[in-house]
């Protein structure tokens, strides 16, 4: 990585463009828009509706104050009522207001005349100004001519990226467990996922290097992959956080083998840190913005001195999913090609969305948005902690350091059923030797808990196998009123009858009340107790 004083421009990576990406031309009508800002121009070229006929005189909104949530954790020794207050809706929210009129009062202001008109696929200038300031301060790319480009959420951004840099029949490097919607978007286009082994930080650099060094094009039936897809923070589904050293190892390998990194990072600001049992938890104090940024595992952008990272960011987890708004950060060549893709598909994100999100960020300013993000991280950390505390209350948990597989290098909690309440005292030995039925690594980022099932003691294990038992258990839990995501859908390649491993569930703790979370864990315990008997 180069120092700030020596940052150069991105290297030429145009050979990574797909045939479709190379062939895209500027949309004929969109190409005229570069003249639109010329003073005194009389435009009779485009079919733009007259803003006087827009049926909106202004749009207004109430936004929460950026300091609506605390920056210090509450006392963990207090009663459950504290958690109820944490999760419950406040009686009266503190708000700020904004109004955007049809016509601007000052040059450069947000207005409906331009905001609700056909717009450039690059997004509204005011929003781009805010995003660019944010990227520079938080992600700190290591080359000079990086740029940003708005998109309609990471799902659509990934789809555009696939079309721009991958050809049918090519391989795509992914973690062995990965986000299924990303694979579902790529595979119909003839893109083949190539899984790489994982450990507790996500993708293994050792496994990646081995895969590339030993690549046999004739045996694989395709050239060595030149694109890597990763969710490095809150790895979906495992919840792992990839640190700076691992990212550097992977980035260096990608430079050596000329690979583009697509960094899909919706959970970046939900880096909750390590789970600490309730009895050992301390009250967390506030930090300033620089300390907060320094506490986060950096983006690949901070290592990217060549411009080979295409980063996908979204407002879905920090503002709201319905905004359908996010942005690319990448080198200008990729941005220009992605903009050409958007011009003839989604065009620009919704004008209403851009106006509302831009108004929010302009009202809060950078300092207010950072205040919001710091509090948001704490809110999700407390949700995660409470959820895992429920498991500790309902199950006997034994912590063991793992040395293999996707959990290698971290502590795994093995869960077994607690004996039913009895008037006869049971020794600790009786509890400790109970057979574990599942295990998990407490997630350090994101919104999900990833359970690995251990059902070898089930009467039908030998005849059914783990995959059938996973679905049988999943069905019984669903019928009992709790819905998890089956683990098989997160495997990078289809799970076959002879696929080795264990069953898994992905469980979200992000959007339920304390009562629902506690009941879900209790239901899992009840179902497992009966499930293991037949």
């Amino acid at each position: 990585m180069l120092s700030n004083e020596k940052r150069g421009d991105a290297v030429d990576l145009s050979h990574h463009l797909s045939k479709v990406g190379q062939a895209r031309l500027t949309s004929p009508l969109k190409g005229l828009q570069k003249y639109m800002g010329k003073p005194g121009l009389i435009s009779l070229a485009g079919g733009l509706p007259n803003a006087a006929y827009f049926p909106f005189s202004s749009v207004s909104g109430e936004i929460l104050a950026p300091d609506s949530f605390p920056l210090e954790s509450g006392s963990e020794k207090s009663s459950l009522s504290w958690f109820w207050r944490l999760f419950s809706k406040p009686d009266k929210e503190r708000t700020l207001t904004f109004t955007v009129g049809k016509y601007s009062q000052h040059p450069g202001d947000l207005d409906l005349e331009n905001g609700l008109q056909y717009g450039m696929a690059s997004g509204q200038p005011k929003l781009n100004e805010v995003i660019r300031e944010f990227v520079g301060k938080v992600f700190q790319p290591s080359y000079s001519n990086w740029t940003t480009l708005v998109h309609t959420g990471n799902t659509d951004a990934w789809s555009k990226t696939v079309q721009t840099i991958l050809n049918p029949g090519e391989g795509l490097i992914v973690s062995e467990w990965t986000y299924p919607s990303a694979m579902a978007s790529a595979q119909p286009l003839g893109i083949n996922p190539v899984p790489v082994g994982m450990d507790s930080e996500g993708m293994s650099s050792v496994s990646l290097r081995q895969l590339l060094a030993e690549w046999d094009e004739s045996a694989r039936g395709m050239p060595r992959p030149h694109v890597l897809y990763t969710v490095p923070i809150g790895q979906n589904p495992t919840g792992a956080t990839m640190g700076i050293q691992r990212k550097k190892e992977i980035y260096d390998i990608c430079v050596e083998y000329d690979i583009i990194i697509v960094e899909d990072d919706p959970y970046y600001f939900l880096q909750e840190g390590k789970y600490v049992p309730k009895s050992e938890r301390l009250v967390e104090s506030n930090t300033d913005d620089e300390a907060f940024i320094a506490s986060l595992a950096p983006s690949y952008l901070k290592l990217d001195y060549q411009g080979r990272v295409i980063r996908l960011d979204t407002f879905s987890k920090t503002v709201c999913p319905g905004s359908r708004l996010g942005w690319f950060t990448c080198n200008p060549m990729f941005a220009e090609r992605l903009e050409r893709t958007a011009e003839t598909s989604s065009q620009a994100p919704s004008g209403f969305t851009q106006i509302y999100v831009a108004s929010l960020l302009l009202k809060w300013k950078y300092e207010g948005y950072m205040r919001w993000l710091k509090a948001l991280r704490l809110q999700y950390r407390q949700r995660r902690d409470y959820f895992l505390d429920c498991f500790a209350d309902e199950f006997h948990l034994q912590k063991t350091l793992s040395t293999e597989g996707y959990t290698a290098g971290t502590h795994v909690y093995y869960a077994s059923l607690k004996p039913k309440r009895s008037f006869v005292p049971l020794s600790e030995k009786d509890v400790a030797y109970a057979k574990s039925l599942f295990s998990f690594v407490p997630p350090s980022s994101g919104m999900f808990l990833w359970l690995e099932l251990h059902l070898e003691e089930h009467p039908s294990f030998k005849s059914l196998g783990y995959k059938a038992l996973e679905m049988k258990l999943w069905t019984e839990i669903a019928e009992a009123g709790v819905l998890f995501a089956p683990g098989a859908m997160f495997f990078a390649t289809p799970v076959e009858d002879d696929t080795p491993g264990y069953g898994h569930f992905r469980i979200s703790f992000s959007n339920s009340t304390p009562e629902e979370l506690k009941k879900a864990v209790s239901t899992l315990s009840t179902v497992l107790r009966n499930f293991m008997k037949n």
Side-chain angles (χ1 to χ4, degrees):
M1 180 175 63
L2 302 180
S3 68
N4 290 354
E5 293 77 14
K6 296 181 180 179
R7 287 179 181 170
D9 288 350
V11 300
D12 182 7
L13 296 167
S14 57
H15 57 284
H16 285 283
L17 293 172
S18 68
K19 293 179 180 178
V20 171
Q22 293 173 13
R24 290 192 185 278
L25 302 176
T26 301
S27 172
L29 292 176
K30 295 294 181 183
L32 299 175
Q33 290 190 345
K34 66 181 180 181
Y35 298 102
M36 295 301 185
K38 186 176 181 180
L41 178 74
I42 300 173
S43 175
L44 305 179
L48 277 60
N50 193 302
Y53 306 142
F54 294 171
F56 299 94
S57 177
S58 66
V59 295
S60 303
E62 287 187 272
I63 60 177
L64 293 183
D67 60 350
S68 292
F69 296 100
L71 289 176
E72 296 185 356
S73 59
S75 172
E76 301 299 343
K77 296 181 179 179
S78 60
S79 68
L80 182 62
S81 62
W82 182 85
F83 289 101
W84 277 108
R85 292 196 301 273
L86 169 68
F87 288 99
S88 62
K89 296 177 181 178
D91 294 330
K92 179 63 177 176
E93 295 177 325
R94 293 187 300 109
T95 61
L96 308 171
T97 61
F98 71 88
T99 298
V100 176
K102 182 173 286 188
Y103 305 105
S104 62
Q105 300 298 313
H106 306 95
D109 283 354
L110 290 174
D111 61 57
L112 304 187
E113 178 184 18
N114 294 294
L116 300 187
Q117 190 56 269
Y118 289 118
M120 296 288 286
S122 55
Q124 295 183 13
K126 271 293 182 185
L127 179 60
N128 262 320
E129 286 178 23
V130 175
I131 288 173
R132 186 169 178 83
E133 176 193 15
F134 183 79
V135 170
K137 289 181 176 180
V138 176
F139 300 132
Q140 305 165 18
S142 285
Y143 63 103
S144 62
N145 64 333
W146 57 272
T147 190
T148 58
L149 177 74
V150 297
H151 58 61
T152 57
N154 280 16
T155 300
D156 185 59
W158 167 240
S159 179
K160 288 180 169 63
T161 303
V162 170
Q163 296 174 51
T164 302
I165 61 175
L166 282 161
N167 289 304
E170 291 184 339
L172 171 66
I173 300 169
V174 296
S175 299
E176 60 182 318
W177 297 102
T178 193
Y179 180 45
S181 292
M183 300 304 98
S185 177
Q187 287 176 302
L189 300 176
I191 310 303
N192 305 303
V194 179
V196 175
M198 298 171 61
D199 61 17
S200 60
E201 286 195 64
M203 184 179 290
S204 163
S205 56
V206 174
S207 297
L208 175 61
R209 179 172 290 282
Q210 181 179 2
L211 172 82
L212 297 171
E214 298 177 356
W215 190 268
D216 186 331
E217 184 170 334
S218 60
R220 292 272 190 167
M222 57 182 171
R224 190 174 63 208
H226 67 101
V227 177
L228 182 153
Y229 170 83
T230 180
V231 183
I233 304 297
Q235 199 277 340
N236 197 347
T238 66
T241 302
M242 185 179 287
I244 184 65
Q245 181 57 37
R246 175 63 54 80
K247 285 176 177 168
K248 185 178 187 308
E249 293 165 2
I250 290 177
Y251 184 85
D252 289 346
I253 292 170
C254 290
V255 170
E256 180 180 346
Y257 286 93
D258 191 21
I259 293 169
I260 300 300
I261 298 172
V262 182
E263 183 178 26
D264 185 0
D265 214 354
Y267 306 107
Y268 186 80
F269 294 100
L270 305 187
Q271 297 188 38
E272 296 117 358
K274 290 185 177 181
Y275 169 72
V276 177
K278 188 162 43 178
S279 60
E280 304 171 22
R281 216 167 287 156
L282 301 175
V283 174
E284 180 181 349
S285 58
N286 181 24
T287 58
D288 61 31
D289 291 351
E290 289 188 3
F292 170 62
I293 293 170
S295 73
L296 301 174
S299 164
Y300 272 104
L301 290 175
K302 193 165 185 178
L303 300 168
D304 184 22
Y305 61 91
Q306 293 191 332
R308 64 176 58 251
V309 174
I310 300 175
R311 180 178 169 88
L312 315 183
D313 276 288
T314 178
F315 289 108
S316 291
K317 308 302 188 294
T318 60
V319 177
C320 60
S323 66
R324 304 318 308 139
L325 185 65
W327 72 92
F328 297 99
T329 305
C330 57
N331 75 52
M333 183 273 297
F334 284 138
E336 187 273 337
R337 292 289 86 192
L338 290 164
E339 186 175 357
R340 300 291 81 76
T341 303
E343 283 175 348
T344 54
S345 57
S346 59
Q347 298 191 27
S350 163
F352 284 108
T353 288
Q354 293 191 68
I355 286 171
Y356 272 91
V357 173
S359 296
L360 171 80
L361 298 176
L362 289 168
K363 196 78 173 181
W364 278 355
K365 303 188 183 328
Y366 172 80
E367 293 75 17
Y369 190 37
M370 294 304 296
R371 172 63 174 77
W372 176 264
L373 294 173
K374 286 190 284 186
L376 197 65
R377 175 174 73 161
L378 178 59
Q379 293 293 306
Y380 279 101
R381 174 185 298 166
Q382 291 172 324
R383 282 179 170 272
R384 178 208 59 186
D385 289 351
Y386 177 71
F387 191 42
L388 297 185
D389 291 346
C390 291
F391 278 88
D393 293 340
E394 189 68 37
F395 295 90
H396 173 68
L397 300 181
Q398 183 174 0
K399 186 168 72 170
T400 303
L401 181 63
S402 175
T403 59
E404 59 183 22
Y406 67 87
T407 61
T410 193
H411 284 100
V412 179
Y413 286 76
Y414 287 86
S416 56
L417 294 169
K418 287 183 176 180
K420 292 183 178 180
R421 290 179 177 85
S422 171
F423 293 107
V424 180
L426 292 169
S427 69
E428 183 66 25
K429 182 178 179 181
D430 292 325
V431 177
Y433 278 85
K435 179 66 178 177
S436 65
L437 299 181
F438 61 87
S439 63
F440 61 86
V441 175
S444 53
S445 301
M447 297 177 167
F448 307 110
L449 176 65
W450 182 240
L451 291 190
E452 180 173 281
L453 304 175
H454 305 294
L455 305 177
E456 298 89 339
E457 300 298 316
H458 190 278
S460 302
F461 179 79
K462 291 184 178 179
S463 59
L464 294 180
Y466 83 87
K467 289 176 287 297
L469 279 180
E470 173 189 326
M471 289 310 300
K472 186 174 187 293
L473 177 59
W474 179 86
T475 301
E476 292 191 16
I477 295 170
E479 289 177 348
V482 178
L483 192 63
F484 298 158
M489 67 173 61
F490 298 92
F491 206 57
T493 54
V495 173
E496 307 292 347
D497 288 342
D498 59 350
T499 302
Y502 300 95
H504 297 81
F505 294 141
R506 194 195 72 174
I507 309 173
S508 171
F509 54 82
S510 60
N511 190 31
S512 300
T513 66
E515 182 182 48
E516 289 170 336
L517 292 174
K518 191 172 185 64
K519 183 177 180 180
V521 177
S522 176
T523 299
L524 173 63
S525 175
T526 300
V527 171
L528 272 172
R529 196 176 295 276
N530 295 324
F531 180 80
M532 294 304 293
K533 295 177 182 177
N534 50 58

